[in-house]
Amino acid sequence: AQRVTQPEKLLSVFKGAPVELKCNYSYSGSPELFWYVQYSRQRLQLLLRHISRESIKGFTADLNKGETSFHLKKPFAQEEDSAMYYCALKGGSGYSTLTFGKGTMLLVSP
Amino acid sequence: KAGVTQTPRYLIKTRGQQVTLSCSPISGHRSVSWYQQTPGQGLQFLFEYFSETQRNKGNFPGRFSGRQFSNSRSEMNVSTLELGDSALYLCASSPDTSAGYGYTFGSGTRLTVV
């Protein structure tokens, strides 16, 4: 069975501080990992996918298979980063189900 | 291009009734998935359709069903509504389910059962 754990329900930081949103997963095969973000009153949006190895809005995430983690990082938080962040896992090619973590609310204060 | 469109945006139903929710995926997307979002359980997978075939189903009772049409539009139906069915129902579409494809979500249908 696949499982995604986001240990923090709420992460509160000041503007300009570094941010790390934690995500650990459990999956026996080769997973695909995603980060989704939901800003207030907006729809869930894809932020990052590990397969792209991209940086979006200053956020990066590296898949660590040894530690089964996919933490989301940003060196300098901005107030507009305040949102709900969800880590999600999809099984290997041909598997279409996304398993989501419970989410972490990021609050960036001025 | 247009995003994933879900209708209606809001619904209020009475216990015991049934409800049908609609989802129009992004043009060209053949995979449509449905999720239930609640404060307590978070985002839970309901089912996924690809080219009119249900390929995966989550751990929900048989009261929850769905279908996909030849134009990829999808509907989900919940019969004999219970208070616990109150939730935000999200639809997501993807061009394919191969590695590398993410899902685009709609704004959801907020269902309230009274």
Side-chain angles (χ1 to χ4, degrees):
Chain A
Q2 50 198 54
R3 179 183 236 174
V4 176
T5 302
Q6 293 179 252
E8 303 137 330
K9 284 188 177 180
L10 171 67
L11 184 62
S12 186
V13 302
F14 288 104
K15 177 182 172 182
V19 168
E20 182 179 49
L21 300 169
K22 290 183 168 49
C23 171
N24 289 90
Y25 68 90
S26 173
Y27 184 67
S28 57
S30 293
E32 283 188 72
L33 275 298
F34 303 84
W35 276 99
Y36 280 84
V37 60
Q38 192 167 32
Y39 300 101
S40 179
R41 300 179 189 276
Q42 293 187 28
R43 65 181 67 191
L44 204 57
Q45 303 172 34
L46 177 64
L47 181 63
L48 282 177
R49 43 190 173 179
H50 92 269
I51 203 166
S52 301
R53 302 184 67 82
E54 59 205 339
S55 173
I56 304 291
K57 298 184 179 182
F59 284 98
T60 59
D62 290 316
L63 178 61
N64 186 323
K65 291 187 178 180
E67 296 183 358
T68 59
S69 68
F70 188 57
H71 303 328
L72 183 67
K73 300 177 184 179
K74 184 169 183 176
F76 308 103
Q78 303 299 314
E79 289 179 69
E80 55 265 30
D81 296 329
S82 296
M84 193 72 172
Y85 291 80
Y86 294 94
C87 182
L89 177 153
K90 184 168 77 125
S93 181
Y95 290 86
S96 50
T97 303
L98 280 176
T99 299
F100 284 90
K102 295 285 191 185
T104 298
M105 172 66 76
L106 174 64
L107 287 177
V108 182
S109 305
Chain B
K1 59 185 180 184
V4 178
T5 304
Q6 292 187 247
T7 56
R9 291 294 306 275
Y10 303 93
L11 267 177
I12 300 176
K13 290 286 186 179
T14 306
R15 271 182 303 174
Q17 287 186 311
Q18 75 165 20
V19 67
T20 299
L21 312 181
S22 180
C23 171
S24 293
I26 291 173
S27 178
H29 285 197
R30 295 186 295 168
S31 172
V32 174
S33 298
W34 289 88
Y35 291 82
Q36 182 194 64
Q37 187 176 26
T38 59
Q41 298 299 317
L43 284 149
Q44 293 186 284
F45 171 74
L46 280 157
F47 25 66
E48 186 253 350
Y49 289 88
F50 187 86
S51 295
E52 301 180 68
T53 301
Q54 185 183 90
R55 297 202 302 183
N56 291 293
K57 190 175 193 303
N59 190 24
F60 278 81
R63 300 185 297 106
F64 291 80
S65 63
R67 58 179 176 169
Q68 186 181 33
F69 302 96
S70 59
N71 62 358
S72 292
R73 190 177 71 85
S74 178
E75 289 181 346
M76 69 163 278
N77 185 278
V78 188
S79 62
T80 321
L81 284 165
E82 300 177 359
L83 295 179
D85 297 333
S86 295
L88 180 66
Y89 290 89
L90 296 173
C91 170
S93 75
S94 176
D96 199 340
T97 53
S98 302
Y101 287 100
Y103 286 84
T104 303
F105 281 81
S107 297
T109 294
R110 172 78 61 186
L111 172 65
T112 302
V113 182
V114 297

